[in-house]
Amino acid sequence: MTTRIVYQQELKNLNKAVLEMSRELQAAITETVSALQTMDAAKAREIMKNDDKIDTIERTIETTCIELISKQAPIAGDLRSISSYMRMIADIERIADHCSDISEYIVQLSEEKEIPMPDGVCEMISEMRLMSEMVITSFIESDYEKAAMVIKHDDIVDDYFEKIKQELGYAMKHNPDRIFAYIDYLMIIKYVERMADHCTNLAHWVQFIISGQLEL
């Protein structure tokens, strides 16, 4: 097998590894949403425990990218893809970290006096989850317009965050005995908002791979 063929196979394997990491992330998001909706502390603890898996994939991909750059000296489109992968996996890893962060607050909420989930939280999480699904699809299909849709949806998540934050502030003022639970929910929606921001970053990197134009 010639050096060029080996190199092309390494690039394909790298693409598959990024896709695998993306799918692991999607599974983590799904589990986190489920744990929050049911206040399942056991599931939340499992999510935190499994966070290391995505960290390991990230380190492997990062090492592969560095080796390809140093040994193969890729140019043009290949270099653009490899450098983008390195930025993408950082965003994917941060989203996974936030799944773990949210899970910590789920455990805390499960131990506190139960309160109804604030209005809009489920809808906000659904929007963020949709963004994560769309950005993975845009990556798989090299779909510039779908990546652009992800970026537009970030505004929807931001709007939910502001509305829920105001509602929680009102609830804290009128129900001081439950303030710690409301603070936990405030932290949860902040992490969801950050996850949406990272999905937006991913969408910009997908667009960069496709077009060569970076608009972060």
Side-chain angles (χ1 to χ4, degrees), residues 101-183:
D101 293 330
I102 290 171
S103 295
E104 289 185 29
Y105 285 102
I106 292 172
V107 172
Q108 289 182 194
L109 280 166
S110 71
E111 297 170 352
E112 295 168 1
K113 184 177 180 180
E114 184 176 355
I115 64 170
M117 187 176 296
D119 291 342
V121 172
C122 288
E123 290 82 359
M124 180 184 183
I125 292 175
S126 292
E127 282 295 331
M128 180 277 296
R129 187 178 182 183
L130 176 62
M131 289 175 68
S132 70
E133 292 171 350
M134 286 196 299
V135 79
I136 292 171
T137 302
S138 71
F139 174 62
I140 294 171
E141 299 177 356
S142 294
D143 190 329
Y144 188 96
E145 292 305 319
K146 191 172 288 292
M149 288 176 60
V150 174
I151 296 167
K152 290 179 180 179
H153 272 261
D154 187 46
D155 289 337
I156 299 175
V157 174
D158 288 343
D159 287 343
Y160 273 120
F161 174 74
E162 292 300 327
K163 291 175 183 177
I164 299 168
K165 183 176 68 172
Q166 290 181 11
E167 179 187 337
L168 288 171
Y170 180 86
M172 289 178 196
K173 182 178 179 180
H174 290 84
N175 301 280
D177 59 318
R178 300 183 178 182
I179 194 167
F180 291 110
Y182 291 129
I183 290 173

Side-chain angles (χ1 to χ4, degrees), residues 161-207:
F161 174 74
E162 292 300 327
K163 291 175 183 177
I164 299 168
K165 183 176 68 172
Q166 290 181 11
E167 179 187 337
L168 288 171
Y170 180 86
M172 289 178 196
K173 182 178 179 180
H174 290 84
N175 301 280
D177 59 318
R178 300 183 178 182
I179 194 167
F180 291 110
Y182 291 129
I183 290 173
D184 287 344
Y185 273 118
L186 181 60
M187 294 303 298
I188 285 172
I189 64 170
K190 183 58 183 175
Y191 283 126
V192 173
E193 189 266 341
R194 288 178 180 174
M195 291 164 82
D197 286 344
H198 286 294
C199 286
T200 300
N201 289 345
L202 286 168
H204 281 300
W205 288 115
V206 170
Q207 289 182 326

